[in-house]
Amino acid sequence: MPTFVQILDFVGTFAFAISGIRLASAKRFDWFGAYVVGFATAVGGGTLRDLLLDVTPGWMTDPIYLICTGLALVFVTMFGKHLIHLNNTFFFFDTIGLALFTVVGVGKSLSLGYPFWVAIIMGSMTGAAGGVIRDVFINEIPLIFRKEIYAMACVVGGLVYWVCALAQMDDYICQIACGVVVFLTRILAVKYKICLPTLSGHA
């Protein structure tokens, strides 16, 4: 039976793949190009994390990530017209992927014995890096470099995970709390137009 974190990983892979494929379809990519964008979005952050943690990336040992991306492509192909016309579709799936992958990144780092400050960085990287790769592939300015609260939502979620762990809560409660906080932080930041301050280019 898959663990709770593994289930989150699979669901996050599917959600992030949909976010990438949905944007690729809006840019008129062919099926192969859309699959590549979806796959890179889904595994990009986790691959970078695993390389830094000195472990083999999950997609190199388990084909489920390739399968999840394929299912996401089928999903977008079947319901593409509806997804493209729904402006919130990309945001919804991207936010789900961001939240779930942050939980996976923090949990995996802690399971390998790394301190919490490393786990929070790895969680943020797992959540945000795939989106950066996606945006580069489709020739957009990555969300992480805009004023929107994106990677900071991962950091806030990671801090909540840490606080829950200090309170000696069960692992699954820490994971749920982390994911919910990332999701709500991103949702509320966009809804109420909460942004980080920008650096001025003037002296």
Side-chain angles (χ1 to χ4, degrees), residues 85-98:
H85 291 300
L86 293 174
N87 293 328
N88 292 330
T89 305
F90 160 73
F91 174 73
F92 178 73
F93 284 108
D94 184 64
T95 304
I96 290 176
L98 188 71

Side-chain angles (χ1 to χ4, degrees), residues 3-33:
T3 65
F4 183 62
V5 172
Q6 286 175 323
I7 293 173
L8 295 182
D9 197 16
F10 299 152
V11 176
T13 298
F14 184 71
F16 250 169
I18 287 177
S19 78
I21 294 169
R22 188 259 189 228
L23 285 185
S25 67
K27 292 277 188 173
R28 309 293 295 176
F29 281 36
D30 64 19
W31 285 21
F32 179 75

Side-chain angles (χ1 to χ4, degrees), residues 39-186:
F39 185 68
T41 305
V43 305
T47 299
L48 185 57
R49 174 204 66 218
D50 289 345
L51 291 175
L52 290 174
L53 296 179
D54 197 27
V55 297
T56 303
W59 63 269
M60 297 180 70
T61 59
D62 191 342
I64 189 65
Y65 300 95
L66 293 164
I67 295 170
C68 281
T69 305
L71 292 174
L73 179 61
V74 172
F75 181 83
V76 175
T77 301
M78 292 177 63
F79 303 104
K81 292 182 180 179
H82 303 287
L83 293 176
I84 290 174
H85 291 300
L86 293 174
N87 293 328
N88 292 330
T89 305
F90 160 73
F91 174 73
F92 178 73
F93 284 108
D94 184 64
T95 304
I96 290 176
L98 188 71
L100 297 182
F101 274 5
T102 301
V103 175
V104 172
V106 172
K108 186 165 188 177
S109 302
L110 293 176
S111 69
L112 292 172
Y114 286 91
F116 246 108
W117 63 271
V118 174
I120 293 172
I121 293 173
M122 291 298 115
S124 302
M125 185 179 298
T126 307
V132 173
I133 296 170
R134 174 199 63 220
D135 292 341
V136 169
F137 276 12
I138 64 172
N139 199 28
E140 295 282 351
I141 299 174
L143 280 172
I144 194 175
F145 299 139
R146 304 181 209 171
K147 292 192 298 181
E148 289 186 21
I149 300 293
Y150 193 73
M152 274 304 301
C154 304
V155 174
V156 173
L159 290 172
V160 168
Y161 196 125
W162 177 54
V163 171
C164 290
L166 287 177
Q168 298 184 334
M169 296 182 182
D170 292 336
D171 286 344
Y172 75 92
I173 295 179
C174 297
Q175 292 158 359
I176 291 173
C178 174
V180 169
V181 167
V182 174
F183 186 83
L184 291 179
T185 300
R186 177 93 173 104

